[in-house]
Amino acid sequence: MNSETTYLTDLAAVLWPCGGLLGPGDRGMRRRVRRDRGNQYLPVPSAHNPRVILPAYNRSAATRGITSFAQGHSLVERARTLLLTGAFATGMAPLLLRDRLYVGAGPGIEHALTAALDRDLSIAIHVGPPRANRKPVLLLLTPGGRTIGYAKVAVNDLTSRLVRAETRALRHLAGSPLRDVTVPRLLYEGEWNGHPLLVQEALPVGEQTDRPTRRQLLRCVTQITAVADVRELRLSASPYRHSLEERIVALGARPEAAPLRAALRRLPDVHVPFGAWHGDLTRWNIASTARRAFVWDWERLCLDAPAGFDALHYDLNECVQAGVHPGVHRWLDSGSRLLRDPLMSGTGLQPHTVSTVMALYLIDLATRYLHDRQAESGGRLAAVDDWLLPALEGLQERAAHEAARPA
C-alpha cells in the first residue's frame, strides 16, 4: 500500500463512516458488495494514483464527473478525457479499470447531502494531486446527470480552516456585487463526520467559456480588488505589512524566516493601494466570456492586500507550466508588464512601486507555503529556497531603484 492508497482509504473513512475497502473488481468482491448492499466506486486512473473517484455503474454521473473535473488545457489531457468519457458512456470502464473502492451500506456523505438539499443525487469526487491543502470536491448530480452544485469536505486541520474560510468568503461576496464577475452562491453549510462541509452552486462554465485574455484577467482583478474599500497607504503604516511580519515571525526557527523578514524590512517605504485579493486566481479557478468572468475556489480570499496580487499569482502559475526556473525568469518581466498596464492604474498602483508589490507578493506566497508545509507534498512552487528567495533578492534591488526614481 503506497501513500496514495492510504490517502484513499483514509478519505473513505471520512466520507463513509461505515468504511471503504480497496480491492479488485472480481466476482467475489462484487458478490460480497451486493450482499452487503454497498456501492462501488472507481479510482481513476488507479488506486495508486487517484485523481477522481467515480460511481462504477452510474454512467451519466461518471461521464459528467470526468468532463466537469477535466482540466483539458492540453491536447493530451483532452484526448484522455475523450477516451474516459467514451469508456464510461459505453459501459466499458468497469471492465477496463481494475481497482475498486467498495463502500459499506451504512449512512454516507450521499445521504447527508441528499437530506441537506432535499433532493435525490449522485456524486463524483475530485481528489487531485498530493498537496497539503488537498481535499475532496464532490460534484453533485441529479440521477439523470444534471449538475446541482459542488460540495467540499475537510479532512484535516488545514482543510478545515480553508473550508470554513470559503464559507465566510461566499457569505461576504453575496453582499458585494461584482459588475462583471460571477461568484457561486452558498447553498449549504454544516458538518459531516466531524468535519466542516459546504455546498455551492455550479457556475455556468463550459464550451462557451475559456481562459481569460489579458484584458479580461485585469478587468476581473481590478473588480475583485474593489470588493474591499481600496486604501492607499504608506507600506510602513499599513496593517497588511504588520500582519505579514507577524506571520513570518510565527514561522519560528525555520531557516527561510530570517531572509523573508529581512527582505520585507529592506523594501522601500512607498505608498501602495490595498484592497481585496482572491488569493489563488489560476487557470483552474476562472473561466471567461467576452463580458463576464466566472470565479470559484474563494478559500484564500483576503480583504487587505496590495492591489495586483491576483494578476501576479495568475501570471506566475502560467509561466511555470513548462518549468519553474525558466518560468520565474519570464514572470519577473511579464508580471511587471501586467502591473504597469493602464487597466491597473485604476486601482491607484503607481509604476515606481511595481517591483515593491512583486516582492511583497513573493514574501506573502513563501510565508503561506511554509505555514501550510506545501514542500512536504512536493508542490511545483513549494521549494521556497530553490527559486523564490533568489528571485526576491533581485526584486529588492529593482524596487529600490524604482522608488528612487519615481515617474
Side-chain angles (χ1 to χ4, degrees):
M1 182 176 287
N2 70 355
S3 60
E4 287 297 272
T5 53
T6 300
Y7 174 82
L8 201 55
T9 52
D10 290 344
L11 177 60
V14 172
L15 298 181
W16 299 282
C18 48
L21 177 66
L22 284 172
D26 57 30
R27 290 184 178 180
M29 288 294 289
R30 286 199 296 269
R31 281 197 298 269
R32 176 179 171 183
V33 172
R34 281 198 297 269
R35 184 174 64 250
D36 294 339
R37 296 182 180 180
N39 293 321
Q40 293 184 47
Y41 289 88
L42 297 171
V44 179
S46 71
H48 294 278
N49 185 31
R51 293 296 175 265
V52 292
I53 304 171
L54 303 170
Y57 297 106
N58 186 328
R59 295 186 190 181
S60 59
T63 304
R64 187 70 174 174
I66 294 166
T67 55
S68 295
F69 292 132
Q71 294 171 359
H73 294 295
S74 71
L75 185 61
V76 172
E77 290 169 337
R78 288 171 181 162
R80 185 185 300 123
T81 299
L82 187 62
L83 288 171
L84 281 170
T85 52
F88 275 99
T90 59
M92 293 297 292
L95 302 177
L96 298 174
L97 299 170
R98 172 178 171 78
D99 295 332
R100 296 288 189 281
L101 177 62
Y102 297 97
V103 177
I109 187 65
E110 305 96 320
H111 304 86
L113 292 168
T114 295
L117 300 181
D118 193 25
R119 61 191 308 172
D120 292 334
L121 54 83
S122 301
I123 64 170
I125 306 168
H126 180 259
V127 294
R131 293 186 300 169
N133 60 335
R134 179 165 67 165
K135 58 187 168 302
V137 177
L138 284 63
L139 173 65
L140 312 184
L141 301 158
T142 66
R146 187 173 62 82
T147 300
I148 300 171
Y150 290 89
K152 294 186 179 182
V153 186
V155 295
N156 54 30
D157 289 342
L158 172 59
T159 54
S160 291
R161 292 199 303 272
L162 293 175
V163 170
R164 292 190 182 104
E166 184 161 16
T167 301
R168 291 192 300 270
L170 292 179
R171 278 202 231 102
H172 179 85
L173 292 165
S176 304
L178 293 152
R179 189 174 68 252
D180 303 310
V181 180
T182 298
V183 176
R185 289 184 303 116
L186 180 65
L187 300 180
Y188 175 79
E189 60 175 297
E191 285 196 352
W192 168 249
N193 199 12
H195 299 271
L197 164 69
L198 75 83
V199 181
Q200 56 191 276
E201 71 173 343
L203 295 178
V205 174
E207 294 182 356
Q208 304 303 314
T209 60
D210 204 346
R211 275 184 278 172
T213 64
R214 176 193 181 98
R215 181 174 181 79
Q216 290 166 347
L217 171 67
L218 292 180
R219 184 178 64 188
C220 176
V221 167
T222 56
Q223 291 187 27
I224 292 173
T225 301
V227 163
D229 292 332
V230 179
R231 299 183 298 163
E232 187 176 321
L233 301 170
R234 188 171 289 280
L235 182 58
S236 62
S238 66
Y240 168 82
R241 194 253 185 232
H242 294 294
S243 173
L244 179 55
E245 182 156 15
E246 287 176 357
R247 288 164 55 204
I248 296 172
V249 170
L251 292 172
R254 291 203 60 139
E256 303 92 343
L260 289 174
R261 193 175 184 186
L264 179 60
R265 291 182 169 181
R266 284 199 296 266
L267 288 178
D269 192 20
V270 293
H271 282 85
V272 175
F274 294 88
W277 79 303
H278 175 280
D280 194 22
L281 196 66
T282 66
R283 64 164 70 179
W284 300 281
N285 296 334
I286 181 174
S288 287
T289 63
R291 296 186 176 184
R292 295 205 68 76
F294 301 92
V295 182
W296 55 98
D297 281 1
W298 291 88
E299 60 193 23
R300 301 280 189 179
L301 175 67
C302 173
L303 299 178
D304 183 25
F309 269 21
D310 275 326
L312 294 173
H313 191 74
Y314 185 95
D315 190 50
L316 177 61
N317 279 273
E318 288 297 296
C319 286
V320 301
Q321 291 303 307
V324 171
H325 288 280
V328 170
H329 184 73
R330 287 194 302 274
W331 175 81
L332 288 171
D333 289 328
S334 62
S336 177
R337 290 195 301 272
L338 272 178
L339 295 193
R340 295 175 193 276
D341 190 285
L343 279 173
M344 288 302 301
S345 64
T347 66
L349 186 63
Q350 299 297 315
H352 70 280
T353 67
V354 163
S355 292
T356 300
V357 170
M358 293 179 72
L360 286 169
Y361 164 72
L362 288 187
I363 296 170
D364 196 302
L365 187 67
T367 306
R368 176 198 298 184
Y369 284 161
L370 293 169
H371 273 292
D372 291 354
R373 300 185 179 276
Q374 291 283 7
E376 296 175 11
S377 57
R380 184 193 297 264
L381 292 173
V384 167
D385 56 347
D386 178 54
W387 67 271
L388 193 149
L389 293 179
L392 183 57
E393 188 173 342
L395 276 173
Q396 290 177 86
E397 296 178 7
R398 258 174 41 180
H401 179 74
E402 289 175 359
R405 299 177 59 187

